[in-house]
Amino acid sequence: MMFKNKPLILLVSLLLIAGFILSACASDTGPQAPAGTEDTRPVTGEDSPSGSETADVRSKGDPDAPVTIVEYSDFQCPYCSRWVLDTYPTLLEEYIDTGKVRLEFRDFPLNFHPNADEAAIATRCAAEQGAYWEMHDRLFESQAGWANLPDTGEAFASYADDLGLDVEAFEQCLNSGRYDEALVEDLQAGQAAGVSGTPSFLINGQLLVGAQPAQVFRQAIDTVLAGGELNTGQPQAEAPPPEPFDISIEGAAIKGDPNAPMTIIEYSDYQCPFCSRFVLQTMPALVQEYIDSGQAKLVFKDFPLTSIHPQAQKASEATRCVRELTGNDDSYWAMHDLLFEGQQEWGNSRAPEIFAGYAEQLGVARDDFSACLESGQFADAVKADLEEGVALGVRGTPTFFLNGQAFVGAQPITNFRQAIAAVEAGQNIQPPPPPTPAPRPTPAPLPQDVPLDDAAGIVGNPDAPITIVEYSDYQCPFCQRHVQQTMPGLQKYIEDGTVKYVFKDFPLLSIHPQAAKASEAARCAGDQDAYWEMHDRLFAGQQQWSGNPAAVDVYKGYADQLNLDRTTFDACLDGGTYSDVVMANLQEGSGFGIQGTPGFFVNRQPLPGAYPIEAFEALIQAELDR
């Protein structure tokens, strides 16, 4: 079952990305939200997502209650589910049913929860038959059962049937697309209110973030009822502009005036459909308004995700061959345009032949072009772009840097205008402009097994029916949470031979500067048969070395505690013996679609985030039943 015009949540700055890609459904700080920004329009009515009644079916409690709580939530977020199961019943009994509080639900589906959009739409479709809250409760209670399905339609229809709904009408609603715009409106309202994670709550306009326990809500509500402020009452200072990245453009292909004051650097993949969308839909206006006017120059960098786009590497080399053989950037950009326009034509084994045909159209001799492409003379240059992008925190394509500030995704021209104006004014371009309402494909299982030959550590039965591969960052607090809270539950599957557990390195270099060396330290310990002992020690001591410029000395202290040969360990760590393989893991994970840590594959099934044990158990059982 496909949904029309599913919102694609495109997050702009690396700092905001960091909050999400660490797989936290709730951030722990946020700006004080302006009052009155919530969208309280009804969602009933079959002809319009907003409807015409005055009562909001997504609200509970007395409309005249002295306190209104607007909840921004994501049906696939495990912390939102935890709040609904643990805290919401108390809130309902003590405050909503007693007339003190009115609760209003708003959708804020995060882009790394692929089924969250569909779930939000399912509740709105249930609302058309008077069952919004019943479907809300069912989805949160059953989250582990549907969160990672490749197609949720059958599951949601079964829930509708259980609730006594007209299933045919419900399914027609799911496929109608009539709530897509309303979903985007909720997202935009949440962003305007300062929401950056889920669950987040506006209590009479004041922001409370996270799956807080009942006591925290009691204190907050009582404070507001007494006329108090949840925050200090002092206006929060505007976030300073981030330190822009200094990215070299020496030798890169440039479109526009090389001396233009604005530099737009694009990291892109010729086989990426979202990159093609940018080229075909947004780039013409960007060139006309900013490049041709001399206001900006556009610089292209290669970021081929070869594990999912096998022809992208050679496509990148093809543009460089054309440039080399003609000696000018204009031909480079002409080849660039032909590749994106013909993307559907060359995504197969005939790609080199088709590339040669494009080169001929541009006046390049076919034999000369084919010799260049077959030689691989530009393979290292393409790889260098990719490694540079990974080091800058690029996790997907297209990603742009506007004078060094990150701007992520196939954004429409209106968003580029806003971002460029902000950068020119010396402002921070976070939070992002409103997200582009565009289709987003549900993450599919990998077409092949994750290779294990360069894994950092492997434990369990080599012939186990289930292989769990974790891409992780030793400095990531949510990876630490997984180790402390979920791994004990997985241990029984490892011990009984059901699961082979594999650890791969994915250090987020731009936000966790000590993580790469921590990965190397664990591997160096592995040379002395102490990989998992160092793994556990690094996570247990994360607060000791994270952010510490002398972290390497801490790692060496751990080696002493584990009775390792220090001379051998130090030589390994100081010599960077494993630096290349750590980076190879990182690039591999990016190619497989890993956007944050921890990220998992259960056999070939993706599971992004620090999920509780129940999510793993559901996937393990599904794989065993397959």
Side-chain angles (χ1 to χ4, degrees):
M1 179 176 296
M2 299 297 293
F3 290 83
K4 298 181 179 178
N5 301 321
K6 291 163 54 181
L8 174 64
I9 303 171
L10 300 171
L11 305 175
V12 172
S13 74
L14 290 176
L15 294 179
L16 186 56
I17 289 173
F20 285 100
I21 65 176
L22 290 174
S23 305
C25 292
S27 58
D28 50 15
T29 59
Q32 183 170 344
T37 57
E38 62 271 14
D39 178 7
T40 58
R41 290 176 294 172
V43 295
T44 54
E46 297 192 9
D47 297 326
S48 166
S50 295
S52 57
E53 290 96 5
T54 57
D56 185 353
V57 298
R58 297 188 296 155
S59 299
K60 272 193 173 185
D62 185 349
D64 298 320
V67 173
T68 297
I69 298 178
V70 181
E71 174 190 359
Y72 284 91
S73 189
D74 171 318
F75 283 100
Q76 198 175 344
C77 159
Y79 303 99
C80 301
S81 176
R82 181 181 304 167
W83 184 85
V84 168
L85 298 178
D86 295 348
T87 303
Y88 169 64
T90 300
L91 190 70
L92 186 66
E93 178 183 357
E94 297 182 9
Y95 292 94
I96 297 172
D97 290 347
T98 59
K100 295 179 181 179
V101 166
R102 178 175 175 83
L103 178 67
E104 299 179 353
F105 189 96
R106 298 291 175 262
D107 294 303
F108 203 86
L110 304 177
N111 71 323
F112 51 82
H113 289 152
N115 292 332
D117 294 358
E118 291 92 327
I121 291 171
T123 60
R124 293 172 186 255
C125 291
E128 292 184 356
Q129 301 186 49
Y132 176 84
W133 288 101
E134 291 82 355
M135 183 62 78
H136 164 283
D137 295 349
R138 179 63 60 87
L139 288 172
F140 277 123
E141 291 166 358
S142 307
Q143 187 185 82
W146 59 263
N148 296 289
L149 295 176
D151 185 342
T152 58
E154 183 177 347
F156 291 168
S158 71
Y159 299 158
D161 188 39
D162 292 344
L163 296 174
L165 306 186
D166 181 330
V167 176
E168 183 177 353
F170 175 81
E171 291 184 318
Q172 187 278 328
C173 173
L174 289 181
N175 290 286
S176 70
R178 61 174 168 264
Y179 290 109
D180 295 343
E181 184 177 350
L183 212 62
V184 174
E185 289 175 358
D186 270 11
L187 280 162
Q188 293 175 345
Q191 289 177 329
V195 173
S196 61
T198 55
S200 289
F201 306 86
L202 294 172
I203 303 180
N204 279 8
Q206 299 185 56
L207 193 61
L208 178 66
V209 179
Q212 304 286 356
Q215 184 55 36
V216 172
F217 275 86
R218 291 190 187 101
Q219 294 172 357
I221 293 168
D222 292 345
T223 297
V224 171
L225 283 172
E229 298 286 335
L230 298 186
N231 298 300
T232 63
Q234 299 295 323
Q236 295 191 5
E238 183 179 346
E243 187 70 27
F245 289 101
D246 183 12
I247 306 172
S248 172
I249 61 173
E250 182 179 357
I254 297 175
K255 179 181 280 291
D257 182 356
N259 298 314
M262 167 74 67
T263 300
I264 302 174
I265 298 176
E266 175 189 2
Y267 286 87
S268 188
D269 173 319
Y270 283 102
Q271 206 171 350
C272 156
F274 299 102
C275 303
S276 177
R277 178 184 303 154
F278 163 78
V279 170
L280 300 179
Q281 298 180 7
T282 302
M283 186 172 163
L286 189 70
V287 169
Q288 180 182 2
E289 297 179 27
Y290 296 97
I291 308 301
D292 290 346
S293 68
Q295 188 174 346
K297 58 182 175 289
L298 180 64
V299 180
F300 191 93
K301 299 258 187 173
D302 295 301
F303 201 86
L305 303 173
T306 52
S307 62
I308 55 175
H309 296 151
Q311 311 303 335
Q313 169 76 23
K314 279 299 180 183
S316 293
E317 294 177 40
T319 57
R320 293 172 181 262
C321 284
V322 168
R323 184 187 186 205
E324 173 75 9
L325 294 168
T326 62
N328 64 77
D329 282 1
D330 289 343
S331 61
Y332 175 96
W333 289 101
M335 186 67 169
H336 162 283
D337 295 347
L338 287 173
L339 287 168
F340 278 118
E341 290 166 4
Q343 190 181 77
Q344 299 305 313
E345 178 184 18
W346 54 262
N348 53 56
S349 60
R350 294 182 57 246
E353 178 184 347
I354 295 171
F355 297 160
Y358 294 164
E360 273 193 318
Q361 294 179 38
L362 300 176
V364 177
R366 177 183 285 265
D367 290 344
D368 292 344
F369 173 84
S370 296
C372 175
L373 191 63
E374 290 169 7
S375 72
Q377 68 183 80
F378 292 110
D380 288 344
V382 172
K383 181 181 178 183
D385 271 8
L386 178 66
E387 292 178 346
E388 177 186 71
V390 169
L392 291 168
V394 174
R395 295 290 174 263
T397 53
T399 291
F400 304 85
F401 289 87
L402 312 184
N403 278 2
Q405 288 200 52
F407 186 69
V408 180
Q411 302 272 8
I413 189 60
T414 53
N415 289 6
F416 271 92
R417 292 184 187 123
Q418 295 174 28
I420 290 171
V423 172
E424 289 178 332
Q427 298 173 357
N428 189 339
I429 60 173
Q430 16 167 334
T436 306
R440 170 164 54 83
T442 300
L446 292 179
Q448 76 247 30
D449 294 335
V450 176
L452 306 183
D453 52 351
D454 61 353
I458 301 176
V459 64
N461 176 11
D463 300 319
I466 306 296
T467 298
I468 297 179
V469 179
E470 175 188 1
Y471 286 90
S472 191
D473 174 319
Y474 282 102
Q475 202 170 348
C476 156
F478 303 99
C479 302
Q480 181 191 54
R481 176 185 300 169
H482 169 78
V483 169
Q484 294 175 343
Q485 298 182 6
T486 305
M487 274 304 295
L490 289 172
Q491 197 62 39
K492 66 178 182 181
Y493 295 99
I494 296 171
E495 293 174 354
D496 69 11
T498 303
V499 165
K500 174 172 59 180
Y501 197 90
V502 180
F503 189 97
K504 291 216 167 191
D505 297 302
F506 201 88
L508 301 173
L509 308 177
S510 61
I511 56 174
H512 293 152
Q514 285 79 45
K517 273 297 181 185
S519 294
E520 293 178 42
R523 289 177 180 265
C524 288
D527 286 346
Q528 301 185 50
D529 298 323
Y531 175 82
W532 290 103
E533 291 82 355
M534 181 63 82
H535 164 283
D536 296 346
R537 189 64 55 93
L538 287 166
F539 277 120
Q542 188 184 83
Q543 281 66 40
Q544 178 185 14
W545 57 263
S546 179
N548 183 349
V552 169
D553 293 333
V554 178
Y555 307 153
K556 292 177 179 179
Y558 294 162
D560 284 336
Q561 295 171 22
L562 296 174
N563 297 316
L564 303 185
D565 182 309
R566 270 292 301 276
T567 300
T568 302
F569 180 86
D570 290 0
C572 176
L573 189 59
D574 295 339
T577 301
Y578 289 106
S579 60
D580 286 347
V581 73
V582 169
M583 286 300 298
N585 272 196
L586 180 61
Q587 293 170 18
E588 174 190 272
S590 293
F592 284 137
I594 298 295
Q595 297 182 345
T597 53
F600 303 88
F601 291 100
V602 180
N603 284 349
R604 298 180 181 183
Q605 303 295 327
L607 183 64
Y611 280 89
I613 186 61
E614 291 79 10
F616 284 91
E617 290 177 333
L619 271 181
I620 289 170
Q621 189 58 52
E623 287 297 298
L624 291 174
D625 294 341
R626 192 179 298 277

